[in-house]
């Protein structure tokens, strides 16, 4: 029997029942779709977790006694994310004013090329406001010209990683925001301000304050990456010399004993 053949007083109830059924069907469709979406998301999360677990299994475990040298951390290709390095412009450039380009320090070029290939390198330059040559675009262009001549752009340095500020604490704010693995500067103030938040903070040169003695210091960029090798060679040389001294002492003691025996006879 069709709904048109039903008595007139029943017709409104039938129409309301049809609308209610359609609403129920729509709700059921939404529930099914949402359940399918949740299932897909769970499967995606499981795959991501499995990939992370597989990657962690391939990463060698470094014990506390097996500390990585600067070369191993920043100059050699290792599994995992690329290290992030922040360098003050004074670390790699000589202070030359009035020229269209800056001169890269002679001993830093080769190390910087390797550093740009293996790490995400950022440069921060402090330029006081009010100078005639002040301006982010002009400073960045000057630095890019020098970096390009040294082959650092081809090695992987990105032009947008040049940051300009006007104070020493401005460099500290930049370092805290970037959170690099290595931060090198010639000023003690920004290094001291962020050293608790950064794995390696290194001062280049003699420093700007003799009172700051708790900051690691090296002569230049190249010496930082050679320090571990130099220390190792020095310790080996020292151990060899100590062996020679001890051997010589025992020889002298034996000769003295022989002289005493001869005198007694």
């Amino acid at each position: 029997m069709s709904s048109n053949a039903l008595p007139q007083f029943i017709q409104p109830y039938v129409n309301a029942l049809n609308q209610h059924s359609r609403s129920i069907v729509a709700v059921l469709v939404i529930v099914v779709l949402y359940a399918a979406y949740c299932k897909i998301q769970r499967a995606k999360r499981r795959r991501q977790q499995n990939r992370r677990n597989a990657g962690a299994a391939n990463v060698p475990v470094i014990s506390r006694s097996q500390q990585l040298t600067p070369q191993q951390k920043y100059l050699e290709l290792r599994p995992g994310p690329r290290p992030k390095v922040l360098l003050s412009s004074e670390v790699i450039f000589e202070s030359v004013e009035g020229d269209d380009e800056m001169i890269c320090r002679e001993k830093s070029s080769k190390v910087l090329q390797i550093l740009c290939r293996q790490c995400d390198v950022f440069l921060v330059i402090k330029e006081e406001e009010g100078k005639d040559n002040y301006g982010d675009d002009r400073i960045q262009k000057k630095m890019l010209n020098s970096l390009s001549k040294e082959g650092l752009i081809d090695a992987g340095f990105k032009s947008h990683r040049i940051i300009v500020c006007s104070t020493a604490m401005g460099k500290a704010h930049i370092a805290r925001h970037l959170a690099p693995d290595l931060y090198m500067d010639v000023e003690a103030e920004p290094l001291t301000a962020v050293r608790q938040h950064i794995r390696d903070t290194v001062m280049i040169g003699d420093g700007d304050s003799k009172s700051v003695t708790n900051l690691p210091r090296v002569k230049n960029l190249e010496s930082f990456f050679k320090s571990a090798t130099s220390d190792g060679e020095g310790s080996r040389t020292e151990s060899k010399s100590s062996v020679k001294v001890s051997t010589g002492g025992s020889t002298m003691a034996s000769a003295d004993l022989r002289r005493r025996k001869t005198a007694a006879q």
Side-chain angles (χ1 to χ4, degrees):
M1 179 181 296
S2 64
S3 59
N4 295 330
L6 294 173
Q8 190 68 27
F9 70 93
I10 298 180
Q11 188 68 35
Y13 297 101
V14 174
N15 294 336
L17 181 61
N18 292 335
Q19 293 177 358
H20 184 65
S21 300
R22 286 195 294 269
S23 300
I24 294 176
V25 171
V27 170
L28 290 175
V29 170
I30 293 174
V31 170
V32 171
L33 292 176
Y34 179 75
Y37 172 79
C38 292
K39 185 176 181 180
I40 293 173
Q41 293 301 314
R42 285 196 298 270
K44 185 183 296 185
R45 285 194 294 269
R46 282 197 300 269
R47 288 195 298 269
Q48 292 175 350
Q49 185 64 38
N50 292 336
R51 284 197 295 267
R52 283 195 294 266
N53 294 338
N58 295 328
V59 175
V61 178
I62 305 298
S63 63
R64 292 183 179 180
S65 60
Q66 187 183 0
Q67 297 296 331
L68 295 177
T69 64
Q71 296 96 321
Q72 292 172 327
K73 284 191 286 188
Y74 302 109
L75 300 184
E76 297 179 4
L77 182 62
R78 300 185 61 79
R82 288 162 59 93
K84 191 183 296 183
V85 177
L86 176 63
L87 302 176
S88 173
S89 61
E90 297 93 339
V91 173
I92 62 175
F93 292 114
E94 296 180 2
S95 179
V96 179
E97 297 184 0
D99 295 335
D100 293 334
E101 61 182 353
M102 306 171 75
I103 300 176
C104 187
R105 298 186 185 277
E106 183 178 357
K107 294 184 178 181
S108 301
S109 180
K110 293 183 179 179
V111 175
L112 282 171
Q113 289 181 7
I114 302 175
L115 204 61
C116 290
R117 281 194 289 267
Q118 306 298 346
C119 306
D120 293 335
V121 179
F122 293 79
L123 297 181
V124 57
I125 178 170
K126 185 183 73 173
E127 189 74 11
E128 297 179 3
E129 295 186 12
K131 283 189 175 183
D132 295 337
N133 61 343
Y134 185 83
D136 293 3
D137 294 338
R138 184 172 180 179
I139 294 171
Q140 290 175 353
K141 183 178 180 181
K142 180 191 287 190
M143 295 181 70
L144 285 174
N145 289 338
S146 301
L147 294 174
S148 180
K149 285 191 175 182
E150 296 296 332
L152 301 182
I153 303 298
D154 294 335
F157 181 81
K158 307 298 182 183
S159 59
H160 66 274
R161 292 177 180 164
I162 297 176
I163 308 170
V164 183
C165 65
S166 58
T167 64
M169 288 309 298
K171 292 195 287 186
H173 292 311
I174 292 169
R176 184 171 294 183
H177 175 73
L178 289 176
D181 300 284
L182 169 64
Y183 174 33
M184 307 183 78
D185 206 322
V186 298
E187 295 184 279
E189 185 178 5
L191 289 169
T192 305
V194 300
R195 66 170 307 180
Q196 295 181 348
H197 309 283
I198 296 176
R199 180 194 299 171
D200 294 322
T201 53
V202 182
M203 179 182 287
I204 300 296
D206 296 331
D208 56 359
S209 175
K210 294 182 180 180
S211 62
V212 181
T213 59
N214 57 348
L215 287 171
R217 302 188 187 188
V218 292
K219 184 178 180 180
N220 51 46
L221 180 67
E222 185 183 35
S223 62
F224 171 70
F225 292 104
K226 286 188 175 181
S227 59
T229 305
S230 300
D231 294 343
E233 291 176 354
S235 61
R236 287 195 297 271
T237 304
E238 185 179 356
S239 62
K240 289 180 180 179
S241 61
S242 62
V243 171
K244 290 181 180 179
V245 171
S246 62
T247 304
S250 62
T251 303
M252 293 175 63
S254 300
D256 185 55
L257 181 60
R258 284 196 299 269
R259 283 196 300 270
R260 288 182 181 181
K261 287 182 178 180
T262 303
Q265 293 174 354

